[in-house]
Amino acid sequence: MMNSDESKSLCIGPYRFQSRLLLGTGKYPNFDIQRKAVEVSEANILTFAVRRMNVYDPAQPNFLELLDLNRYTLLPNTAGAENAEEAVRIARLAKASGLCDMIKVEVIGDWKTLLPDPIETYKACELLLQEDFIVLPYISDDVILAKRLEKLGVHAVMPGASPIGSGLGLVNSLHLSFIIEQSEIPVIVDAGIGTPGDAAKAMELGADGVLLNTAVAGAGDPVKMAAAMKLAIEAGRMGYEAGRIPMKRCATASSPLEGMIR
Amino acid sequence: MQITVNGEVMELPEMTMTVQHLLAHLQMENRIVVVELNQSIVHKSDHAKTGLANGDRVEIVHFVGGG
C-alpha cells in the first residue's frame, strides 16, 4: 500500500512531481495556444528537442524563452539521433545549457515507424549514466529490454503505446502491463496516445505517467484537449489505485435477488 | 577568418576572435544557446576566453519544440 504522498507524486531519480502528465512542446498552431495548453495541462515536465539556431534569423522567437523556467522541469530529447554517439552528443549539449540534467534518450532505428533502436538506446543510456544524467529512455514495448535497462540503472523507462504521432492508442496493453508489473522504476507510457481514453487506459494499467504531444498539439482545440488529458490521467490513476473489479464472462446482478414481488 | 557555423561557411570580421564575439556578431548573445567548437562543448563561462581559428567548425544550438 502506497502512502498518500507517494501515490500523489511521480518520483524520477532525485525529483518529485505532482503531475503525471509529461507534455511535449512540438507542433502547436502558435505560441499563444501552446502557452495556454501548457498552463491548463498543469504538467510539471516539458519535453524539448535540441536543434541548430538559424544563423540568418537570430531574432526568431523561442517558446522556451517565453516560459517561467522556475515552474517547469525540462526534459530534452535526443530526437534525430540514429546511434548512441549522436544521442550522447545531443544530451551533452542539452545539459551544458545548465537548465536540466534529465534526458529522454530517443534513438530512432527506422524512419517509417519511428521505432527506437534498442541496441543503440541501451549503449547511449550506459554512457549517459556514467556522466550522471537522469536517464529516461524511449523504448518499444519490449519487456526484456525494459528489465535490462532497469538493471543498467536508468531512472525510468518510457515504452511507446504505438508509433510516435500515430494516435493509435495502446496497441499492446499486455506487454505494457508486463513492463509495469516488473518495474521498480517509473514507467511512463510515451508516444501513440490519441485520446483522453488512451491516456486513462495507460494509467489504469498502472503506468506512473504518460508523455504525449501530438494528441494535444494536433487536436481541434489543443487547450481543451490539454485539460481533458490532465483529467484523464488523474482519473486513470485514481482508478488504478482504487483497484478495478475482475473481468467475468457472465453477468452478476447488482440488485438483490431476494424479496422480489411475486 | 573563415569558419563554419551550423553548416554555413562564413567570413568573420577582423575583431571577432572569441566565441563571445561570435555570438555578439550573430546577435545571439542574450539567447539561451549552447556552443560546440570542433565537437567540444564550450561552456558559457568559457565563451570569452575561447578563441576561434580559421577553419573552425562551430555549432550553436537551442531548445525547440519537440516531443
Side-chain angles (χ1 to χ4, degrees):
Chain A
M1 189 70 195
M2 284 168 288
N3 70 43
S4 60
D5 259 13
E6 270 176 7
S7 78
K8 275 181 192 156
S9 37
L10 167 64
C11 300
I12 303 173
Y15 303 118
R16 184 170 279 236
F17 304 100
Q18 284 308 304
S19 168
R20 294 178 179 276
L21 166 58
L22 291 76
L23 191 61
T25 59
K27 301 191 293 188
Y28 288 78
N30 59 56
F31 282 165
D32 188 46
I33 289 174
Q34 181 168 12
R35 190 184 50 73
K36 287 179 185 145
V38 166
E39 185 74 35
V40 304
S41 77
E42 293 182 23
N44 302 134
I45 303 175
L46 302 178
T47 65
F48 286 89
V50 176
R51 291 290 181 272
R52 283 173 163 170
M53 283 284 281
N54 181 345
V55 291
Y56 299 116
D57 183 18
Q60 62 195 299
N62 177 290
F63 183 68
L64 180 134
E65 291 177 348
L66 304 175
L67 283 175
D68 175 2
L69 292 177
N70 295 316
R71 285 182 59 195
Y72 300 100
T73 298
L74 308 185
L75 176 59
N77 65 38
T78 64
E82 291 186 68
N83 55 53
E85 193 187 346
E86 288 173 5
V88 169
R89 185 180 181 192
I90 295 168
R92 285 176 181 155
L93 284 165
K95 196 179 178 190
S97 69
L99 300 174
C100 48
D101 63 357
M102 293 209 298
I103 189 76
K104 168 177 164 176
V105 177
E106 178 175 341
V107 186
I108 296 304
D110 170 54
W111 292 98
K112 181 185 170 193
T113 58
L114 295 182
L115 286 170
D117 181 323
I119 297 165
E120 294 299 319
T121 299
Y122 187 92
K123 283 189 208 163
C125 289
E126 195 167 29
L127 293 165
L128 292 167
L129 286 167
Q130 285 165 11
E131 297 185 22
D132 297 326
F133 281 85
I134 306 300
V135 180
L136 297 83
Y138 162 61
I139 59 174
S140 52
D141 52 20
D142 183 324
V143 184
I144 310 306
L145 178 64
K147 189 181 277 188
R148 290 287 299 269
L149 284 164
E150 178 170 347
K151 205 173 165 196
L152 184 67
V154 302
H155 300 85
V157 285
M158 304 208 293
S162 50
I164 295 171
S166 70
L168 288 172
L170 280 61
V171 296
N172 197 340
S173 301
L174 185 66
H175 280 193
L176 290 176
S177 302
F178 287 151
I179 293 174
I180 290 163
E181 284 160 20
Q182 75 179 12
S183 293
E184 298 288 327
I185 53 174
V187 178
I188 295 160
V189 173
D190 174 6
I193 299 294
T195 66
D198 298 336
K201 182 71 190 166
M203 295 307 293
E204 285 174 29
L205 293 177
D208 297 277
V210 168
L211 197 168
L212 53 88
N213 185 342
T214 309
V216 166
D221 181 343
V223 180
K224 190 171 269 187
M225 188 59 85
M229 289 296 186
K230 171 193 130 61
L231 295 172
I233 287 166
E234 286 173 3
R237 180 66 188 182
M238 283 178 77
Y240 167 71
E241 289 173 8
R244 62 152 299 153
I245 58 163
M247 280 190 267
K248 288 182 290 193
R249 290 190 69 236
C250 297
T252 312
S254 304
S255 307
L257 298 173
E258 306 80 41
M260 280 296 298
I261 306 155
R262 297 288 177 200
Chain B
M1 166 164 60
Q2 203 177 61
I3 65 170
T4 304
V5 182
N6 292 357
E8 306 282 339
V9 176
M10 49 176 77
E11 191 68 39
L12 296 184
E14 286 272 308
M15 296 310 291
T16 307
M17 294 159 72
T18 67
V19 168
Q20 190 175 52
H21 292 158
L22 175 65
L23 290 177
H25 173 65
L26 295 171
Q27 298 171 288
M28 293 177 186
E29 69 269 46
N30 296 318
R31 307 299 300 269
I32 296 175
V33 298
V34 181
V35 179
E36 201 188 64
L37 171 60
N38 302 323
Q39 296 219 21
S40 293
I41 289 169
V42 183
H43 288 276
K44 197 167 180 157
S45 53
D46 295 329
H47 284 183
K49 54 188 170 199
T50 304
L52 296 171
N54 199 45
D56 275 348
R57 298 185 70 84
V58 178
E59 293 289 338
I60 304 172
V61 302
H62 64 157
F63 292 103
V64 301

